[in-house]
Amino acid sequence: MDFGQIPTPSYVIDEGQLIRNLEILKAVEEESGCRILLAQKAFSNYCEYPLIANYISGTTASGLYEARLGKEEMGKENHVFAPAFKSEDMDELVQICDHIVFNSIAQLQKYKDICLEHHIGIGLRINPECSTQGDHAIYDPCAPGSRLGVTASNLQKALAQDPTVLDGVEGLHFHTLCEQNADDLATTLAAVEEKFGTYLQQMKWLNMGGGHHITREDYDRALLIQLVKDVRKRYALEVYLEPGEAIALNAGYLVTEVMDIVDNDIQTAILDASAACHMPDVLEMPYRPPLRDSGEWGEKPYKYRLSSYTCLAGDIIGDYAFDRPLSIGDRLVFEDMAIYSMVKNNTFNGIPLPSIYRMKADGTCECIRKFGYEDFKNRLS
Ligand SMILES: *Cc1c(COP(=O)(O)O)cnc(C)c1O
């Protein structure tokens, strides 16, 4: 693929890589007997939903809009979880969702009847209070005081007050991982079984959330498959996994151009893309996105700080080194840009949204969508 032909800035979805990921996930479904759903929060490029539908079981959503998108564009099994639901949204969700997962006993009690009327599979999110991620606390739903999921002690208290609280609940849901391997799932599952094992006996399904980096090269898929099979057998239930990242891992690029190079003691290349607008995880996580044909400072002779054309001083993508000096007009290609990028885009500073291209498995590219001034203006008033 010749990225030189693509106008900048543009995202390019790599369909060949997407298919490689989906083949892995389909094999996991087949070998373990679990059902895998796309967590749309990470990747909502619905031009690819018909393709994704050929490999996995459906979609999961964080609220009404994602649930609608999953229903309209994929039309397979459709689940939703949110920390809280509005009544008017619930009226619509019960029409389009198969499973609805609640975050608290109060939410469960508020909406149990309408869900039962519509034959929705009701789930309760649990919090096993088992942190397995050290370095990014903002992605740890098991951090002390976390609002996400019912703890074992709160569930016991609720049952002591009202022994029918779990009547009608057919599944438990936990989501505690982020970019993690199957060993951390094993640790988490042990905590879930220890604290919630008695309730699992009466459940039809267990949803193990996302954060499973299943399509990463070093991921221990044999262990995942074993864990799923064991749990299915031990409690006689269905297992769901809802990865976001793993579906489109390494399946996209952000193609940008060097607009200027400023030398105020540090050589800074100004790009027509922005961390704040187009790759916010770079600032939030924070992390340094992979860049094609580059290295760390010190690894290669020509050092540049890559930044953007917003006015935010801290809109810095990272420090990179190259084999040759950069020139104005050069193309730079950021990698692993399909996930948590397009779904998080914004037009801060009036910066244009990058176009979206699709690269087919044979290397040919087509433009899926271009954005313009109207997309900036229409979100404001
Ligand atoms: C974010 C999220 C996912 C997907 O997580 P990834 O890290 O992208 O795999 C799945 N389920 C829930 C409830 C989530 O909040």
Side-chain angles (χ1 to χ4, degrees):
M1 172 58 217
D2 181 8
F3 288 112
Q5 300 303 312
I6 290 178
T8 62
S10 290
Y11 292 104
V12 180
I13 300 169
D14 182 342
E15 219 172 71
Q17 181 60 38
L18 191 59
I19 291 169
R20 282 192 286 280
N21 291 344
L22 290 166
E23 279 169 348
I24 291 171
L25 295 166
K26 186 182 160 97
V28 168
E29 273 203 0
E30 284 170 357
E31 287 170 43
S32 72
C34 75
R35 298 172 77 79
I36 297 183
L37 310 172
L38 162 69
Q40 296 173 90
K41 183 182 74 185
F43 182 77
S44 302
N45 289 86
Y46 52 89
C47 67
E48 301 295 355
Y49 283 14
L51 173 80
I52 295 171
N54 292 333
Y55 294 88
I56 60 171
S57 294
T59 40
T60 189
S62 320
L64 178 60
Y65 290 176
E66 286 183 0
R68 275 185 62 174
L69 193 68
K71 178 75 176 174
E72 286 173 11
E73 301 293 335
M74 189 157 335
K76 295 187 79 174
E77 209 171 319
N78 200 26
H79 296 198
V80 65
F81 160 81
F85 294 100
K86 289 176 171 288
S87 301
E88 59 266 35
D89 290 358
M90 188 55 63
D91 293 338
E92 205 173 331
L93 287 168
V94 294
Q95 309 288 341
I96 60 175
C97 290
D98 300 287
H99 287 187
I100 299 181
V101 176
F102 296 103
N103 187 58
S104 72
I105 301 292
Q107 284 271 303
L108 168 66
Q109 286 172 323
K110 182 168 180 189
Y111 295 118
K112 189 189 275 188
D113 288 344
I114 185 175
C115 286
L116 289 175
E117 259 167 54
H118 289 83
H119 309 289
I120 304 293
I122 298 176
L124 184 66
R125 179 164 174 171
I126 55 172
N127 184 334
E129 297 174 271
C130 171
S131 288
T132 50
Q133 32 180 314
D135 45 350
H136 17 70
I138 79 161
Y139 294 107
D140 184 4
C142 291
S146 164
R147 74 189 183 294
L148 297 165
V150 181
T151 59
S153 66
N154 277 342
L155 183 53
Q156 278 156 19
K157 266 186 232 158
L159 281 164
Q161 276 175 11
D162 175 3
T164 69
V165 151
L166 284 180
D167 291 5
V169 175
E170 64 172 41
L172 296 182
H173 176 290
F174 68 84
H175 170 71
T176 68
L177 305 179
C178 178
E179 301 186 337
Q180 280 163 284
N181 212 319
D183 53 345
D184 288 328
L185 176 62
T187 306
T188 303
L189 261 180
V192 166
E193 290 195 63
E194 189 201 314
K195 294 182 169 164
F196 298 92
T198 49
Y199 313 113
L200 279 178
Q201 308 282 0
Q202 65 202 67
M203 295 296 155
K204 275 199 203 158
W205 48 265
L206 173 64
N207 186 323
M208 301 187 188
H212 316 278
H213 240 192
I214 302 169
T215 50
R216 196 174 71 200
E217 213 161 334
D218 68 342
Y219 187 89
D220 188 350
R221 293 194 279 271
L223 177 57
L224 171 68
I225 290 165
Q226 198 53 51
L227 291 168
V228 169
K229 279 176 148 176
D230 288 350
V231 170
R232 287 183 60 221
K233 202 163 152 209
R234 194 149 52 249
Y235 300 96
L237 43 68
E238 287 283 335
V239 166
Y240 286 89
L241 303 176
E242 44 182 37
E245 286 215 10
I247 306 247
L249 194 64
N250 293 316
Y253 313 95
L254 176 57
V255 186
T256 74
E257 189 178 83
V258 177
M259 298 171 71
D260 197 10
I261 296 172
V262 173
D263 187 354
N264 288 340
D265 296 333
I266 294 172
Q267 295 247 68
T268 301
I270 297 182
L271 308 182
D272 60 355
S274 155
C277 301
H278 309 141
M279 34 186 141
D281 273 357
V282 166
L283 304 179
E284 276 177 30
M285 267 294 246
Y287 87 111
R288 179 180 172 279
L291 180 73
R292 187 166 281 189
D293 300 326
S294 75
E296 305 277 346
W297 272 21
E299 267 177 25
K300 292 172 183 278
Y302 298 98
K303 302 193 292 186
Y304 295 88
R305 174 159 294 169
L306 302 185
S307 184
S308 87
Y309 72 141
T310 67
C311 300
L312 174 68
D315 195 349
I316 290 164
I317 299 159
D319 295 341
Y320 295 79
F322 300 87
D323 289 323
R324 53 178 187 79
L326 289 183
S327 307
I328 292 167
D330 280 355
R331 293 288 163 103
L332 296 180
V333 178
F334 290 97
E335 297 178 325
D336 198 16
M337 278 293 148
I339 46 179
Y340 293 107
S341 55
M342 290 169 269
V343 288
K344 286 190 149 188
N345 272 355
N346 64 75
T347 54
F348 168 63
N349 245 234
I351 298 290
L353 295 168
S355 305
I356 298 175
Y357 281 73
R358 161 160 60 190
M359 181 168 73
K360 298 281 207 182
D362 67 6
T364 56
C365 259
E366 59 181 336
C367 182
I368 300 291
R369 182 105 197 240
K370 282 191 161 66
F371 301 95
Y373 169 66
E374 296 305 326
D375 296 290
F376 165 63
K377 188 176 179 187
N378 283 338
R379 306 177 46 197
L380 302 165
S381 66

